[in-house]
């Protein structure tokens, strides 16, 4: 992408911190991890989501900091847009002049356009890779529920939480939190529809039609290569799956808050916030209140912990891990409470 960036550039290089293939991408080790990292003195303020473009640039959005950063492949970190003051302005101009309100995550299209979940503005923003100009892809900026079957730019959402591209990048799924729905924007036609949730709060019955079933509070969504749409519910402490036949079921979690690995139907989560799909169809889960990264294996129907709580690297202490992104053999972890980004390569993990 070609954007006008601030002149101040911070050079960063990943730091290997253990034989377990865990690296610090931005930040450092905390004092209780054997380092001297002070989160409040770092370059990021409450980061949440990351995504990569074709040049291997990592795009980073901040939930509370209100800024968009880019980490180039050479390790230079620059401010690309936004400011700590929340607003919904900038459409038609450069990203550098745009303002946001509570961004949760981002995604990059095959042409390198950047999509941003501008959550509390109730919209998805789009940054054109060639011109660097920003526009609104979906939403009006006002909270509400409307627009299914019509143009996404005229539709209303209520807290656009996490957005995720389908494997073919032809559609974007949206966790429409306060509307208790998962919605989908077709990037070819520009239209929106609901694919899960009926607007009522509740635990969906296994086998129910997804569009006719309630949801507890959908925070994140991701589709795998088989067309299974996974929905993560924070207050529901569970992972649901919408199957290709349109039915929904709970695949992991008991619904009770806790921490337990093992068989998926008895596993416990603590207010999980975000998910991504791994190279073999695994679902990686940022388990916020447990300070851990978990993984659901659909083949084994099991849940295990890969980082945090002495897993993966005994020294690492995660605080409110929020974003997870799989990219070329590495699982990137946004450790929001510690204002840092880590990456993990699991033993035997395949590259995308």
């Amino acid at each position: 992408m070609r954007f006008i960036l601030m002149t101040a550039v911070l050079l960063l290089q990943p730091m290997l911190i253990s034989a377990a293939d865990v690296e610090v991408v931005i930040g450092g080790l905390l004092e209780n991890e054997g380092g001297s990292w002070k989160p409040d003195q770092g370059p990021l303020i409450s980061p949440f989501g990351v995504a990569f473009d074709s040049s291997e640039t990592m795009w980073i959005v901040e939930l509370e900091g209100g800024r968009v950063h880019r980490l180039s492949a050479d390790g230079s970190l620059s401010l690309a847009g936004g400011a700590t003051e929340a607003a919904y302005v900038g459409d038609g101009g450069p990203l550098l002049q745009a303002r946001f309100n509570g961004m949760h995550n981002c995604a990059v299209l095959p042409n390198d356009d950047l999509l941003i979940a501008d959550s509390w503005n109730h919209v998805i923003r789009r940054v054109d890779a060639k011109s660097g100009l920003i526009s609104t892809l979906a939403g009006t900026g006002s909270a509400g529920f409307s627009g299914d079957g019509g143009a996404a730019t005229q539709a209303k959402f209520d807290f656009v939480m996490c957005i995720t591209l389908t494997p073919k990048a032809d559609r974007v799924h949206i966790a429409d939190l306060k509307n208790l729905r998962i919605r989908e924007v077709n990037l070819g036609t520009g239209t929106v529809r609901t694919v899960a949730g009926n607007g009522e709060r509740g635990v969906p019955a296994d086998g129910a039609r997804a569009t006719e079933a309630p949801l507890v509070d959908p925070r994140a969504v991701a589709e795998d290569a088989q067309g299974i749409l996974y929905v993560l519910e924070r207050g529901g402490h569970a992972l649901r799956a919408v199957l290709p036949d349109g039915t929904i079921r709970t695949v992991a979690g008991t619904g009770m808050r806790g921490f337990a690995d093992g068989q998926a139907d008895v596993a416990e989560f603590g207010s999980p916030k975000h998910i991504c799909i791994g190279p073999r169809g695994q679902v990686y889960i940022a388990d916020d209140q447990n300070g851990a990264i978990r993984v659901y294996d659909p083949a084994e129907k099991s849940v295990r912990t890969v980082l945090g709580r002495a897993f993966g690297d005994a020294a690492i202490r995660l605080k409110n891990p929020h974003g997870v992104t799989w990219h070329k053999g590495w699982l990137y972890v946004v450790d929001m409470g510690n204002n840092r980004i880590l990456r993990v390569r699991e033993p035997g993990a395949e590259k995308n």
Side-chain angles (χ1 to χ4, degrees), residues 5 25 52 64 72 98 106 110 140 144 166 190 194 197 208 215 226 241 267 272 281 303-304 344 350:
L5 301 174
V25 179
F52 291 84
E64 296 176 7
S72 299
C106 56
T140 66
T166 59
T194 294
L215 293 173
Q226 284 69 50
V303 171
R304 60 189 174 90
V344 184
E350 303 169 5

Side-chain angles (χ1 to χ4, degrees), residues 82-129:
T84 53
E85 298 80 20
Y88 176 38
V89 296
D91 277 8
L95 172 60
L96 192 62
Q97 296 176 9
R99 298 295 181 264
F100 306 90
N101 189 5
M103 293 176 286
H104 271 76
N105 76 325
C106 56
V108 176
L109 292 170
N111 69 350
D112 279 344
D113 283 4
L114 177 68
L115 303 183
I116 299 171
D118 193 357
S119 304
W120 300 329
N121 280 327
H122 317 292
V123 297
I124 299 174
R125 314 286 285 276
R126 181 174 188 161
V127 183
D128 185 275

